[in-house]
Amino acid sequence: MDGLVGLLKVRVVRGINLAYRDARGSDPYVVLRLGKKKLKTSVKKRSVNPIWHEELTLSVTNPNEPIKLVREVFDKDTFSRDDPMGDAEIDVGPLLEVLHMDPEDLRNGAIIQSVRPSTKNCLADESHVCWRNGRFVQDMILRLKNVESGEIQLQLQWVNIPGAK
């Protein structure tokens, strides 16, 4: 892959109190977009509190371009267009900012940086960038926009590519 600088692993953990789009709940799935790249989770049948624990991996080729992830949640329909169930934007800047640090002096579980919810992000609660099991990770819960209710819990992890700049 020409120009590859790293991989961004996104673990979609679960949905919380997602909107009802069908009589018996919803059949939600999550779409992750980064630029022109698009990945999807599996569909969880009849659930407004689905558990995914699915990992989606995106390749990042331009380190100078601000990385914004767009998450969308949809209700899968068989005979009509899938219903939108909200969206959220993720700024991975806080995770990328700590990558230059030397982790040698960090203890497992150390919180490196905290990001508070604000009008400029979709965080439902404070998010922490941590050093865990030899990797920088960021756990977060995103409040979905453009919908009556719903949150998505996920974890971001950066993977360096040997020899990449």
Side-chain angles (χ1 to χ4, degrees), residues 98-110:
V98 303
L99 295 179
H100 68 278
M101 293 181 67
D102 181 7
E104 195 170 302
D105 297 330
L106 298 175
R107 71 179 196 293
N108 193 46

Side-chain angles (χ1 to χ4, degrees), residues 51-113:
I51 307 281
W52 281 286
H53 282 292
E54 293 180 25
E55 193 171 272
L56 305 175
T57 302
L58 292 160
S59 55
V60 178
T61 54
N62 186 351
N64 300 319
E65 182 179 310
I67 298 175
K68 294 276 188 183
L69 297 177
V70 177
R71 283 204 160 276
E72 300 165 297
V73 180
F74 291 93
D75 171 46
K76 181 73 175 162
D77 288 327
T78 305
F79 300 110
S80 63
R81 190 175 194 172
D82 292 355
D83 301 315
M85 295 178 66
D87 58 87
E89 196 171 87
I90 308 161
D91 181 7
V92 298
L95 178 63
L96 297 180
E97 286 172 15
V98 303
L99 295 179
H100 68 278
M101 293 181 67
D102 181 7
E104 195 170 302
D105 297 330
L106 298 175
R107 71 179 196 293
N108 193 46
I111 295 174
I112 313 301
Q113 186 175 356

Side-chain angles (χ1 to χ4, degrees), residues 2-3 10 13 16-17 20 22 29 34-35 44 50 78 84 99 108 117 119 126 132 134 136 138-139 146 158 160 162:
D2 224 14
V10 180
V13 179
I16 304 161
N17 195 28
Y20 277 76
D22 298 322
Y29 65 94
L34 176 63
K44 298 298 179 185
T78 305
L99 295 179
N108 193 46
T119 56
E126 193 170 57
R132 191 178 308 137
F136 289 109
Q138 183 176 8
D139 296 306
N146 303 312
W158 181 262
N160 283 319

